[in-house]
Amino acid sequence: MVAARRSEKSAETEQALKHAARQLFADRGYLNTKITDITAAAGRAAGSFYNHFASKEELLQSLLKDLADESDTSAEDPAHTADFTDPESVRYHIASYWSFARTNWPVLRAVQQAALVNDDFARIAARFATEQRDEVADHLDGFVPAGLRLPGSADASLAMMFVSATGLLQAVQEGGLALTDEQAVDALTRFVYRGLTGRDLD
C-alpha cells in the first residue's frame, strides 16, 4: 500500500512538472525557462526534478514521447481521403494538423528553439518534418493522372504546405494575428489547394 501510494505521488509529480514545463515554454520559451522555474511553477521542491529527469532536455524528450504515443486514428476516420486533388481532403488534413499543432504548440515550439543550440534536437526536428511529409506523400499520387502539375517536387510541395501552416500558427500564437481556428483552416485550405493544384476553390 505504501509503495503504491509512493508510486502514485511520483507519477503526480512527473505530470505536474510536465504541465508546468508546457506552460512555461508557451509563456517565455524553452531557452528562457530554467529548471527552477519549472519546479516552482509545479509547486515542487527544486531537487524533485532530478528524481524524474536528468535535465531539461530529457524532460522535453519525454514530452515529445507523449506526443508520439498519442494514437493516430485519422486513417480510420470515414472523413479521411488520401487525395489532395480533392479540396475536402486538403481541408481535412489542414484541420487535423492545425488542431494537433495548436494543442501541442508549446512542445513543438520548444523543439524548434532547442534545435538552435542542440544538435540532437536539430536532428529530431528534421526527422519530425520528414515523417510528416512521408505520411501524406501518397496523397499526391492522383496529380499526374488528373493532369495537374505540382509547384515543385512532391517533397518540396509538401514541405511548403507544412511550413505555411506552421508559420500561420506561429503568427496566431505569438504574433498577435487574430484568427479563429475556422478562419485559419479555411484560409490555409484555399492557399494550399491553389498552391498545389493551381485551382481556385469555389
Side-chain angles (χ1 to χ4, degrees):
M1 183 75 77
V2 173
R5 180 56 184 157
R6 186 177 297 125
S7 177
E8 182 180 327
K9 289 280 287 182
S10 177
E12 289 175 357
T13 296
E14 181 175 335
Q15 289 306 309
L17 292 169
K18 287 182 176 181
H19 178 76
R22 285 177 62 103
Q23 188 60 54
L24 288 167
F25 294 164
D27 291 345
R28 63 178 68 175
Y30 173 81
L31 298 178
N32 292 325
T33 297
K34 297 179 290 194
I35 288 174
T36 51
D37 298 329
I38 296 169
T39 53
R44 300 300 196 273
S48 68
F49 182 94
Y50 297 99
N51 294 329
H52 302 275
F53 308 105
S55 63
K56 187 173 68 168
E57 290 76 15
E58 186 174 292
L59 183 151
L60 181 54
Q61 292 269 19
S62 182
L63 289 172
L64 276 174
K65 185 177 183 302
D66 291 344
L67 297 193
D69 289 343
E70 291 179 4
S71 59
D72 182 7
T73 58
S74 62
E76 302 167 10
D77 188 335
H80 173 266
T81 58
D83 179 11
F84 281 172
T85 66
D86 176 3
E88 289 308 311
S89 180
V90 174
R91 183 181 299 277
Y92 176 90
H93 287 83
I94 290 290
S96 296
Y97 178 75
W98 183 268
S99 176
F100 165 81
R102 182 150 196 177
T103 299
N104 296 293
W105 182 250
V107 178
L108 298 176
R109 187 65 174 138
V111 172
Q112 292 176 3
Q113 293 172 346
L116 298 174
V117 297
N118 184 299
D119 289 342
D120 288 338
F121 280 106
R123 285 189 287 271
I124 288 170
R127 185 171 68 246
F128 178 69
T130 299
E131 290 171 352
Q132 285 180 317
R133 298 194 298 273
D134 287 347
E135 285 177 4
V136 293
D138 63 343
H139 293 31
L140 301 177
D141 289 350
F143 275 59
V144 171
L148 296 171
R149 182 179 178 182
L150 290 166
S153 69
D155 201 39
S157 299
L158 292 174
M160 287 186 278
M161 179 181 79
F162 282 108
V163 167
S164 297
T166 302
L168 184 63
L169 179 57
Q170 184 171 354
V172 170
Q173 294 288 90
E174 301 175 8
L177 180 61
L179 283 180
T180 66
D181 289 342
E182 183 178 356
Q183 289 170 332
V185 169
D186 186 63
L188 278 168
T189 299
R190 291 177 179 277
F191 184 79
V192 169
Y193 181 72
R194 180 166 188 180
L196 291 177
T197 67
R199 297 172 173 173
D200 287 322
L201 287 176
D202 295 334

